[in-house]
Amino acid sequence: MMLPAPLSALARRLPERPPAMALAEALNVALRAGELRRRGALRDGACGTLTWGPPSEPVASIKFRSTESTLIVSYYVAYSSADIPCLISNGDDFERLIMSGFDLRYEIETIRLATVRGGFGGTRSYFCCPDPDCNRRVEVLYLAGARFRCRRCLGLVYESQYEDADHRTYRRANKLRARLRYERWWPFVRAPIVLPKRMWRRKFWRLQDEIDEADCIASVACAKRVEILAAKR
């Protein structure tokens, strides 16, 4: 959860994130095997274009072609004067980028697919990390720089690993509220009591008690932050 500026200024200094993580978060470009399976993009002979961002103005796009055991992706990468790569969309004005000093390169990467039999029949396809030193079977590959790699190779971590104790209480309160479709947590505002349809009353009251407890802990943590801020002024 994002806090207001005065409160977020009190958060303890978190470890510096790896450069690869910052780049991956900025692009937010990832290949997800589950999503591609549902679209039929991992079937033998499938081909097309994957885009990220609004359909009218995509932020980035790549072309793909699937075979029985591989997924071949191709895309344009623009390198700035500082030699920092950035994935671009096929609809971008290449001439304008070249005139602005960008170096355009056409990248082709072959991603090996691993097929696993399901417990109740059927098969599922996963990616094998293209890094020769890794080759792990993974569900998601992230683009950081000009290549797709797994989370471990890029040094990416979950957002919750960079949260302090107070932010974890805020996230827990919102996570519990989402289970009953309540609005997001706000300090000292009690959650409503609305029984969802087709939910056992015993389960509902158990979740309601957990929400009230999480709201109380989060509100107390927020109040302590406000006191610290007031004392510093």
Side-chain angles (χ1 to χ4, degrees), residues 19-113:
M21 174 189 296
L23 184 58
E25 287 181 346
L27 292 175
N28 196 24
V29 174
L31 294 175
R32 306 181 185 277
E35 182 179 349
L36 295 180
R37 280 196 304 265
R38 289 189 292 271
R39 294 184 180 182
L42 298 183
R43 296 177 182 173
D44 187 13
C47 60
T49 302
L50 300 175
T51 60
W52 288 267
S56 57
E57 296 181 358
V59 176
S61 64
I62 66 173
K63 294 183 179 181
F64 73 92
R65 180 170 57 88
S66 297
T67 65
E68 185 177 356
S69 59
T70 60
L71 174 68
I72 304 172
V73 293
S74 57
Y75 44 90
Y76 284 97
V77 177
Y79 286 81
S80 64
S81 57
D83 203 29
I84 299 177
C86 178
L87 181 66
I88 61 177
S89 172
N90 292 327
D92 286 338
D93 190 349
F94 292 169
E95 184 177 353
R96 179 180 57 82
L97 291 173
I98 295 175
M99 293 294 292
S100 300
F102 286 92
D103 180 20
L104 296 185
R105 301 178 192 176
Y106 188 67
E107 304 284 352
I108 300 177
E109 187 159 27
T110 301
I111 302 170
R112 192 165 61 87
L113 300 177

Side-chain angles (χ1 to χ4, degrees), residues 8-22:
S8 60
L10 291 174
R12 64 179 178 84
R13 187 177 183 276
L14 300 177
E16 185 178 356
R17 300 192 175 193
M21 174 189 296

Side-chain angles (χ1 to χ4, degrees), residues 20-218:
M21 174 189 296
L23 184 58
E25 287 181 346
L27 292 175
N28 196 24
V29 174
L31 294 175
R32 306 181 185 277
E35 182 179 349
L36 295 180
R37 280 196 304 265
R38 289 189 292 271
R39 294 184 180 182
L42 298 183
R43 296 177 182 173
D44 187 13
C47 60
T49 302
L50 300 175
T51 60
W52 288 267
S56 57
E57 296 181 358
V59 176
S61 64
I62 66 173
K63 294 183 179 181
F64 73 92
R65 180 170 57 88
S66 297
T67 65
E68 185 177 356
S69 59
T70 60
L71 174 68
I72 304 172
V73 293
S74 57
Y75 44 90
Y76 284 97
V77 177
Y79 286 81
S80 64
S81 57
D83 203 29
I84 299 177
C86 178
L87 181 66
I88 61 177
S89 172
N90 292 327
D92 286 338
D93 190 349
F94 292 169
E95 184 177 353
R96 179 180 57 82
L97 291 173
I98 295 175
M99 293 294 292
S100 300
F102 286 92
D103 180 20
L104 296 185
R105 301 178 192 176
Y106 188 67
E107 304 284 352
I108 300 177
E109 187 159 27
T110 301
I111 302 170
R112 192 165 61 87
L113 300 177
T115 303
V116 179
R117 292 185 177 275
F120 297 96
T123 59
R124 299 186 68 178
S125 296
Y126 295 89
F127 300 130
C128 292
C129 181
D131 191 327
D133 297 331
C134 179
N135 201 31
R136 288 194 314 132
R137 188 179 69 198
V138 295
E139 178 77 14
V140 183
L141 290 175
Y142 300 90
L143 179 70
R147 296 295 179 181
F148 284 95
R149 293 293 184 266
C150 70
R151 184 175 63 88
R152 182 179 297 178
C153 291
L154 298 177
L156 304 180
V157 299
Y158 293 105
E159 185 179 358
S160 58
Q161 292 179 252
Y162 281 84
E163 291 179 341
D164 58 9
D166 290 344
H167 282 78
R168 284 195 291 270
T169 61
Y170 307 149
R171 181 166 53 85
R172 171 173 168 76
N174 284 319
K175 186 176 180 179
L176 289 171
R177 281 172 169 254
R179 295 188 63 179
L180 295 181
R181 299 182 180 181
Y182 291 165
E183 294 181 355
R184 294 179 63 85
W185 167 82
W186 192 252
F188 307 105
V189 177
R190 192 173 187 276
I193 301 178
V194 181
L195 176 64
K197 292 183 178 179
R198 302 181 182 87
M199 177 176 285
W200 289 86
R201 290 182 178 272
R202 182 173 58 184
K203 179 180 179 180
F204 167 75
W205 287 112
R206 177 176 59 82
L207 289 175
Q208 189 71 37
D209 291 341
E210 292 180 6
I211 290 174
D212 291 341
E213 181 181 0
D215 285 357
C216 181
I217 296 174

